[in-house]
Amino acid sequence: MFSIENLISEGLKNLDIPFSNKEKGQIMLFIGEIEKWNKRFNLVKAEGKEIAVNHILDSLSGFHVIDEIKKKLPGGRGEDCTLLDIGSGAGFPGIPLAVFFKDVKFFLLERSQKRAAFLENTVLLLDLKNTMVIHDDLKNVDNSYNIVCFRAFSRIRDIIPDLKRLVSRKGTVIAYKGRLSTVVDEIAGMGDSFKYTRIIQVNVPFLNAERYLIVAD
């Protein structure tokens, strides 16, 4: 049976994500913080290896899709890329992605004061200089971003006006989803709100469950 650290290492290799001991250490520190704060704030209904697989590796399953989008920006310059994580909660998918995309500017939107405090503490602890926490409600955010993503937050059709308002003119929306039947239902509810919509199946190492991304632009 793998230790949590070995799960992360093997999972990153399986996902073909380059990593160093520093980045793996940041992820392990993040898991430790979730476990410490979870008792008080009920951040996620998981612990230990479940956090590593169901949340960390799940968040990173979108790595190559985001990398592809980033490279299509003018000049392919990552520092010009901005990503808004809506309803970040315990920091998923934003914080794991920010660890590996140091040249992307991440904004973690969270309306809960307790969870926003957790995020701010974690960003400082992990020394994520590319990451900012926004403690506010979705309807109050008025900037535009190259990538707007969310995980376990809402059905796309329920927040389409907000997504259209927040994504830049040539930007992309990425929604992390589970079963294909759920994805098909969500796509049907989107109508023609976006010009192009793709369904991308992703593999989450050590997770025996369907996982898909809805990518719209």
Side-chain angles (χ1 to χ4, degrees):
M1 183 67 74
F2 284 157
S3 67
I4 296 175
E5 186 171 354
N6 284 339
L7 269 178
I8 293 298
S9 294
E10 292 303 311
L12 290 171
K13 291 175 186 175
N14 189 292
L15 290 168
D16 194 24
I17 298 175
F19 68 96
S20 65
N21 286 334
K22 177 184 177 181
E23 289 154 345
K24 186 171 68 172
Q26 286 175 298
I27 293 296
M28 293 303 298
L29 188 58
F30 181 33
I31 292 172
E33 282 301 289
I34 292 173
E35 291 186 315
K36 184 170 73 176
W37 286 60
N38 219 11
K39 298 172 184 177
R40 294 168 56 197
F41 292 168
N42 192 29
L43 296 168
V44 293
K45 294 179 180 178
E47 58 184 25
K49 294 177 181 178
E50 285 185 317
I51 296 174
V53 174
N54 295 29
H55 296 283
I56 300 290
L57 295 179
D58 183 76
S59 294
L60 291 171
S61 67
F63 175 90
H64 290 288
V65 174
I66 292 170
D67 194 43
E68 175 188 327
I69 294 167
K70 185 187 77 166
K71 288 176 180 176
K72 289 181 179 178
L73 292 175
R77 298 175 60 190
E79 61 265 30
D80 293 331
C81 183
T82 55
L83 186 151
L84 176 68
D85 176 12
I86 299 177
S88 192
F92 301 116
I95 286 181
L97 290 170
V99 168
F100 295 96
F101 282 112
K102 293 182 174 62
D103 55 353
V104 174
K105 295 182 178 68
F106 283 81
F107 298 85
L108 312 180
L109 176 63
E110 176 54 49
R111 67 179 180 180
S112 163
Q113 185 174 3
K114 288 182 178 180
R115 293 187 177 190
F118 166 78
L119 292 173
E120 288 169 350
N121 177 77
T122 302
V123 165
L124 287 173
L125 191 65
L126 271 59
D127 194 28
L128 294 175
K129 294 181 172 60
N130 61 334
T131 306
M132 177 183 294
V133 178
I134 303 174
H135 174 214
D136 210 335
D137 193 274
L138 175 60
K139 67 178 184 295
N140 296 328
V141 181
D142 57 5
N143 290 327
S144 63
Y145 304 85
N146 298 115
I147 301 171
V148 176
C149 75
F150 56 96
R151 175 181 177 273
F153 176 69
S154 172
R155 295 181 300 181
I156 292 182
R157 64 186 178 193
D158 294 337
I159 56 170
I160 283 176
D162 292 305
L163 296 176
K164 298 283 283 184
R165 175 172 54 84
L166 293 171
V167 72
S168 61
R169 189 171 63 86
K170 293 186 178 180
T172 305
V173 173
I174 301 175
Y176 284 67
K177 297 294 176 180
R179 293 188 301 272
L180 182 59
S181 57
T182 300
V183 172
V184 170
D185 179 64
E186 291 227 17
I187 293 289
M190 290 169 62
D192 59 355
S193 301
F194 295 90
K195 190 173 182 180
Y196 301 108
T197 302
R198 293 179 286 159
I199 300 172
I200 300 175
Q201 185 172 16
V202 292
N203 169 59
V204 179
F206 312 112
L207 181 65
N208 184 26
E210 292 180 82
R211 294 298 287 162
Y212 293 87
L213 302 178
I214 296 176
V215 181
D217 47 35

